[in-house]
Amino acid sequence: MNRGILSTITCAFAAFSLAVYAGPKKKVHTIGDSTMSEYVADGSTDKRGWGQMLQQFFTDNVVINNRGKAGASSKSFYKEPGLWATLVKGGKDEMQSGDFLLIQFAHNDEKNNGADGEELKEYFLSRGARNRVGSVDYRGTTPFETYKDYIRNYIKEAKEMGVKPIVVGPVSRKYFSDDGKRITREGRHDLGESYSIIKNNLWLEGEKVGPNDHTFDYVQSAQDVTKEFDDVPFINLTELSAQMYLKYGLSYCTSHLFFQSDRTHTTALGAALIAREFALQLKKQAESEDGKRKEVLQELASEIVVGNGVSVTPSNGDMGLAYVGSQLDKSFTISGFDMAAESGTITVAVDNDFKISLDKSSWKEAVEIKYANSTLMTPVYVRANTTKPGVLTCQLTTSDGATTKNQTLKVENIDKEAGDEAYATWALANNSKAAKAQLLEAADVTMSEMFIEDHARVPISPNGHREMMLFNIDGGVWPSIDIDEVSTRYIEFKAKVPKGKVFNLSAISLDICGFGGSNSCYDIYLATKDDFSDPELLGEGIKVPKDKCFTITKELLKKVQQGENIYIRIYPWMRVSEQVKGKCIGISDVNVKGTLVDAPVAPAPKAKKPAPKTGGAAKPAAAKPAPKPGGAGAAKKPATPAKK
């Protein structure tokens, strides 16, 4: 591959246009799995979902609300709290009439190799095979039935709200054939080479159908559902991504487009390329489709830009909260497509005592970035001005000498209030699940689909701790089907803010270790909503070294209001090729720290003026009509699709 092509590919690590959306005319909601979802953009990981990179290919007249969730299947996203149910409420941050909805599922629907998880559990229980139940994943759907049911549900419920759905084929996996000339059927989400099924009351595994039989092809099933509606387009991102992988080759895909030794999750570069393919195809189909599908696509196609000069990611210029005098740095990526000149220099500058750096060591007011082949890509780091309280802004300016783009960055600086030190700590030592807390109300550690197996002595951790609590999966057997977190399997720590107080959360830390092998993986989240609908990724580990203890520390400033809960969840899984026993996740010394201050007193309601006297009897007020059920403000309770 020549250098020109290599540079062009690398620069596709493009990013969101850092725009402030003042009353966007169009909103696009995306629902899907980890290949679409959000990942931290603080420089700690290069993993990205393509939905996270989509904004840059649209004008400022469109805003992307990416709701992709790691570990989600079409079933789990529909049924679990904090996901689909939060989108159909109809509030300002949820779906409203006139919005668009992109639907992409299959990766986790393929659990159980094509069988429906709930049906399979019932099957094993009815035959007394309880030892088989633990290896069944409820998220799995059948491509020919329950998968279609859930895709159909999303479409119908979105349309009932006046939202315009577009179904998207799931991105292909990096499953190259032995000769490297094609992506396998399984990589394209067609399980026809080897599937499992309950047929005639028998559980059959390793079944096969011919290459032209699409009964177990999730992509074909998704497309078939769209054919039931005359106004629902289908964009085959499965085929587009597969062809892209073949164009770049296995070696380059492995080294640049996919995350570590992963064959499913992409780097920011890979995600940006996939997002670009989606945008180009949407624009192409807007010209070739007909009827109502064409109208839906044309409305979005008119807002697509695939060569937009310099752009910046992430798209949100809000750098968050900081204490006055503290240090707050944030990572951004400067990238460009189809630059005006073949080669040149980009100047990136900040003002108002903000600083910028290319290496996190030399901080200046401006930096220069050279590019070639009409493209560029490089991370930059911005240090906020925290010298005084209040909201401080700066202009991040990018210029190639001919054109200049400005974007507002901001930080809200808060005086470190005296307050009272408050904390919650779970030592997880001496066989105790209990928390020790000061001024917060902390609960014992709880688990879902996990149990406490034992305690263990470990090598001294970075914090000097020697003992950990070991958590194992229910049944003790880790499945081979997990490619990322399982939404129903986690360890949870919970603390509550007392009434009349506000908790200024400043730091979260914990020790974590994988026992029994180097296959342990985990994601760690913080949330404050009881349905866990506002998760913030604190850290992740992929195939952590055996018996090596890590201390995860996240410093942040977050205000948690009175009566709200602080939730920390750890989602563990094993990246293994076959079922394994004897493996655990070790956790100790989970800490939540901050200060507690008095909550602001709400202003007293103004006294009502006495009604003017009238000479006659007062007329009774006319009764207001009751709101219709299922209106924009009503929360819908999703119904499980009926079995056929």
Side-chain angles (χ1 to χ4, degrees), residues 152-169:
R152 194 177 290 116
N153 277 8
Y154 293 125
I155 292 172
K156 287 182 176 179
E157 292 178 23
K159 284 168 61 66
E160 286 171 5
M161 297 181 68
V163 174
K164 304 160 192 174
I166 299 173
V167 178
V168 182

Side-chain angles (χ1 to χ4, degrees), residues 102-103 166-170 219 226 233-240 277-279 281-283 285 289 297:
L102 305 184
I103 306 165
I166 299 173
V167 178
V168 182
V219 181
T226 64
F234 177 77
I235 295 180
N236 195 344
L237 196 55
T238 313
E239 181 64 22
L240 293 169
E277 289 292 331
F278 169 83
Q281 184 65 20
L282 191 153
K283 199 172 183 69
Q285 285 185 215
E289 291 271 12
L297 292 171

Side-chain angles (χ1 to χ4, degrees), residues 611-631:
K613 292 182 179 180
T614 60
K619 277 187 178 182
K624 292 183 179 179
K628 293 181 180 179

Side-chain angles (χ1 to χ4, degrees), residues 506-523:
S506 60
I508 292 171
S509 63
L510 59 91
D511 284 356
I512 192 165
C513 182
F515 283 84
S518 298
N519 299 305
S520 299
C521 308
Y522 60 81
D523 287 337

Side-chain angles (χ1 to χ4, degrees), residues 333-543:
T333 298
I334 309 296
S335 59
F337 282 94
D338 302 329
M339 303 293 291
E342 176 73 14
S343 62
T345 300
I346 296 292
T347 300
V348 187
V350 290
D351 59 11
N352 197 22
D353 286 333
F354 283 63
K355 300 296 181 184
I356 192 167
S357 175
L358 294 175
D359 57 10
K360 293 196 283 189
S361 61
S362 175
W363 296 90
K364 306 175 182 178
E365 293 181 353
V367 295
E368 292 187 344
I369 304 168
K370 293 183 178 180
Y371 71 91
N373 299 299
S374 300
T375 56
L376 74 109
M377 182 282 295
T378 189
V380 299
Y381 307 93
V382 176
R383 178 165 291 175
N385 177 3
T386 62
T387 56
K388 54 187 177 182
V391 176
L392 297 184
T393 64
C394 87
Q395 291 297 309
L396 186 148
T397 304
T398 57
S399 175
D400 62 0
T403 60
T404 299
K405 288 187 178 181
N406 292 308
Q407 176 56 44
T408 300
L409 308 183
K410 73 172 184 177
V411 59
E412 182 178 355
N413 298 323
I414 300 171
D415 280 321
K416 196 164 188 178
E417 301 167 81
D420 297 306
E421 181 184 0
Y423 64 81
T425 298
W426 294 263
L428 304 182
N430 302 318
N431 294 302
S432 174
K433 296 187 293 183
K436 179 181 178 182
Q438 178 171 292
L439 301 182
L440 298 176
E441 303 168 18
D444 291 357
V445 59
T446 58
M447 293 141 282
S448 174
E449 299 182 9
M450 304 282 294
F451 72 97
I452 298 171
E453 181 172 279
D454 201 354
H455 285 71
R457 304 282 290 181
V458 297
I460 296 178
S461 74
N463 282 335
H465 305 125
R466 290 180 177 271
E467 187 175 356
M468 307 195 94
M469 187 172 279
L470 303 187
F471 296 86
N472 204 342
I473 188 173
D474 280 354
V477 180
W478 294 85
S480 60
I481 56 177
D482 294 337
I483 57 174
D484 50 36
E485 68 187 59
V486 177
S487 56
T488 55
R489 184 199 306 150
Y490 55 82
I491 303 130
E492 181 175 278
F493 305 87
K494 173 183 172 183
K496 188 173 185 177
V497 179
K499 290 183 178 179
K501 298 292 182 179
V502 173
F503 181 57
N504 291 323
L505 173 60
S506 60
I508 292 171
S509 63
L510 59 91
D511 284 356
I512 192 165
C513 182
F515 283 84
S518 298
N519 299 305
S520 299
C521 308
Y522 60 81
D523 287 337
I524 305 171
Y525 290 94
L526 162 71
T528 58
K529 293 184 178 179
D530 292 340
D531 62 3
F532 218 79
S533 60
D534 62 336
E536 179 179 345
L537 185 62
L538 300 180
E540 63 178 352
I542 304 295
K543 301 187 75 170

Side-chain angles (χ1 to χ4, degrees), residues 56-375:
Q56 68 169 9
F57 300 109
F58 286 93
T59 68
D60 296 349
N61 199 39
V62 171
V63 62
I64 306 295
N65 176 28
N66 185 17
R67 293 294 192 95
K69 176 69 173 68
S73 71
S74 64
K75 178 195 292 184
S76 68
F77 196 95
Y78 190 84
K79 297 182 73 170
E80 292 178 12
L83 299 172
W84 180 245
T86 66
L87 266 176
V88 296
K89 287 179 180 177
K92 66 177 182 178
D93 295 324
E94 291 82 38
M95 294 194 305
Q96 294 178 311
S97 181
D99 291 352
F100 295 82
L101 175 69
L102 305 184
I103 306 165
Q104 182 223 248
F105 292 102
H107 285 85
N108 297 300
D109 287 81
E110 296 166 26
K111 306 302 185 183
N112 316 310
N113 211 27
D116 184 86
E118 290 165 311
E119 183 182 0
L120 187 55
K121 283 188 177 184
E122 289 177 9
Y123 174 87
F124 285 138
L125 287 172
S126 69
R127 282 154 179 76
R130 291 185 173 273
N131 61 316
R132 299 292 303 272
V133 173
S135 63
V136 176
D137 194 315
Y138 104 96
R139 294 174 294 170
T141 61
T142 55
F144 52 82
E145 185 176 34
T146 50
Y147 175 71
K148 285 186 172 182
D149 287 337
Y150 285 105
I151 299 299
R152 194 177 290 116
N153 277 8
Y154 293 125
I155 292 172
K156 287 182 176 179
E157 292 178 23
K159 284 168 61 66
E160 286 171 5
M161 297 181 68
V163 174
K164 304 160 192 174
I166 299 173
V167 178
V168 182
V171 295
S172 291
R173 295 191 179 99
K174 190 191 66 177
Y175 289 7
F176 278 75
S177 60
D178 291 340
D179 60 9
K181 294 182 179 180
R182 60 187 176 85
I183 302 299
T184 66
R185 287 177 76 178
E186 186 182 5
R188 296 170 184 259
H189 307 282
D190 181 353
L191 305 184
E193 288 289 332
S194 178
Y195 65 87
S196 301
I197 188 173
I198 299 173
K199 189 174 182 180
N200 299 325
N201 290 321
L202 293 175
W203 171 236
L204 305 176
E205 299 179 87
E207 298 294 292
K208 183 176 181 178
V209 295
N212 296 322
D213 186 329
H214 294 283
T215 305
F216 286 85
D217 186 341
Y218 286 86
V219 181
Q220 184 64 55
S221 293
Q223 186 170 12
D224 287 347
V225 173
T226 64
K227 293 176 181 178
E228 300 171 12
F229 306 88
D230 63 0
D231 57 352
V232 179
F234 177 77
I235 295 180
N236 195 344
L237 196 55
T238 313
E239 181 64 22
L240 293 169
S241 56
Q243 292 303 318
M244 186 183 81
Y245 303 161
L246 293 172
K247 180 175 69 173
Y248 296 140
L250 176 59
S251 177
Y252 191 83
C253 285
T254 300
S255 60
H256 288 77
L257 305 189
F258 281 81
F259 184 69
Q260 295 182 9
S261 58
D262 200 318
R263 296 195 296 170
T264 299
H265 302 101
T266 51
T267 61
L269 170 56
L273 285 169
I274 290 170
R276 190 169 189 264
E277 289 292 331
F278 169 83
L280 288 168
Q281 184 65 20
L282 191 153
K283 199 172 183 69
K284 181 178 179 180
Q285 285 185 215
E287 298 172 356
S288 61
E289 291 271 12
D290 53 24
K292 294 180 180 178
R293 291 192 183 97
K294 184 182 187 75
E295 294 174 10
V296 171
L297 292 171
Q298 281 184 327
E299 192 173 348
L300 275 183
S302 64
E303 305 290 349
I304 286 176
V305 285
V306 292
N308 59 345
V310 179
S311 59
V312 184
T313 188
S315 60
N316 187 355
D318 188 352
M319 296 182 68
L321 301 173
Y323 283 124
V324 173
S326 67
Q327 181 176 304
L328 176 63
D329 302 338
K330 188 165 184 177
S331 170
F332 294 90
T333 298
I334 309 296
S335 59
F337 282 94
D338 302 329
M339 303 293 291
E342 176 73 14
S343 62
T345 300
I346 296 292
T347 300
V348 187
V350 290
D351 59 11
N352 197 22
D353 286 333
F354 283 63
K355 300 296 181 184
I356 192 167
S357 175
L358 294 175
D359 57 10
K360 293 196 283 189
S361 61
S362 175
W363 296 90
K364 306 175 182 178
E365 293 181 353
V367 295
E368 292 187 344
I369 304 168
K370 293 183 178 180
Y371 71 91
N373 299 299
S374 300
T375 56

